[in-house]
Amino acid sequence: MVIRKGNDYRLVVAVRYDRGLMYVRFVGTHRQYDKIDVATI
């Protein structure tokens, strides 16, 4: 049995299209996301 429950976490990434790279900057809950400044991480 597979139970799928989405939208529990937030993901912030930085994308370098010129190099084809994606950097994961943050993974956390909605509450943790609310405490960070996305522009500075």
Side-chain angles (χ1 to χ4, degrees), residues 15-28:
V15 180
R16 290 286 309 259
Y17 292 102
D18 59 332
R19 296 187 181 189
L21 298 173
M22 182 173 66
Y23 300 95
V24 175
R25 303 294 298 190
F26 172 83
V27 177

Side-chain angles (χ1 to χ4, degrees), residues 4-32:
R4 295 179 189 242
K5 185 171 184 254
N7 206 20
D8 286 338
Y9 295 94
R10 297 266 179 138
L11 175 68
V12 177
V13 298
V15 180
R16 290 286 309 259
Y17 292 102
D18 59 332
R19 296 187 181 189
L21 298 173
M22 182 173 66
Y23 300 95
V24 175
R25 303 294 298 190
F26 172 83
V27 177
T29 64
H30 290 268
R31 183 173 288 163
Q32 291 169 327

